[in-house]
Amino acid sequence: MHTANSPRDFEIREARAADGDTLARFNALMAEETEGKTLDPGLIGPGVEALLEDDARGRYWVAEAGGEIIGQLMVTYEWSDWRNGNIWWIQSVYVPAGWRRRGVFTALYRHVESTAAAEPGVIGLRLYVEENNTRAQQTYEALGMIKPSYLVMESMLNKEPKRR
């Protein structure tokens, strides 16, 4: 377990195109673990690649130890006309089981938080979490996030997605 003053045995960096397969695999593992969903490899792979090729869509950061990716976090952007600024939505968070409770997510979050704070026009961070995922909720609250009074609703369009 790391303390605030102990050195980490991993580094945080922005993801690169070569990380795409690992990011897609981690996304599939996260979806299965948290929602019991099986992601279509013909969709998730191109979806990850599309973001890595165009940072206007969002950005990924990874934690890396000894050349191995041991955690990931993605942000996408929401423009807030009320606040005249961007809110970064944290998504696609995954840390393999063997690296959990070792400060990987906290380091990713703090890195993204400081990057957002230093970037003009970014006014906040948000994420959504499954209602029953109390462990994740406790982690986010420990990092200083709060539960706003918003409820997320959606309507997915019935469009044929682009596949590999």
Side-chain angles (χ1 to χ4, degrees):
M1 184 67 95
H2 294 280
T3 64
N5 296 322
S6 69
R8 293 193 312 235
D9 49 355
F10 57 88
E11 299 298 323
I12 306 299
R13 66 169 173 80
E14 196 149 355
R16 317 183 263 265
D19 301 326
D21 288 344
T22 300
L23 299 173
R25 183 169 49 84
F26 279 7
N27 282 333
L29 290 168
M30 181 264 309
E32 178 63 38
E33 183 177 322
T34 61
E35 299 181 39
K37 292 183 179 176
T38 301
L39 299 183
D40 180 342
L43 291 176
I44 187 63
V48 168
E49 288 173 17
L51 189 135
L52 290 172
E53 291 170 0
D54 181 2
D55 64 3
R57 295 177 190 260
R59 295 161 71 182
Y60 274 103
W61 283 269
V62 297
E64 185 176 63
E68 175 189 359
I69 296 174
I70 59 160
Q72 70 180 42
L73 182 155
M74 179 184 82
V75 297
T76 57
Y77 317 119
E78 171 192 356
W79 177 254
S80 174
D81 56 349
W82 287 13
R83 296 172 184 90
N84 192 27
N86 275 311
I87 297 168
W88 282 8
W89 277 85
I90 296 172
Q91 300 180 59
S92 298
V93 171
Y94 187 75
V95 176
W99 283 93
R100 292 180 189 161
R101 314 312 276 170
R102 295 175 64 180
V104 175
F105 173 72
T106 297
L108 281 163
Y109 179 85
R110 292 297 186 210
H111 180 83
V112 168
E113 181 182 51
S114 66
T115 301
E119 197 158 313
V122 179
I123 57 168
L125 302 173
R126 282 189 177 149
L127 57 79
Y128 55 88
V129 59
E130 288 291 313
E131 281 184 290
N132 298 327
N133 193 343
T134 54
R135 176 179 263 179
Q137 290 174 41
Q138 291 166 350
T139 298
Y140 302 144
E141 287 172 346
L143 290 168
M145 298 189 91
I146 61 166
K147 292 180 185 176
S149 59
Y150 299 115
L151 176 65
V152 175
M153 299 178 74
E154 68 180 24
S155 175
M156 302 306 289
L157 303 175
N158 245 351
K159 292 186 175 184
E160 181 62 29
K162 296 177 185 175
R163 298 180 190 280
R164 246 188 211 165

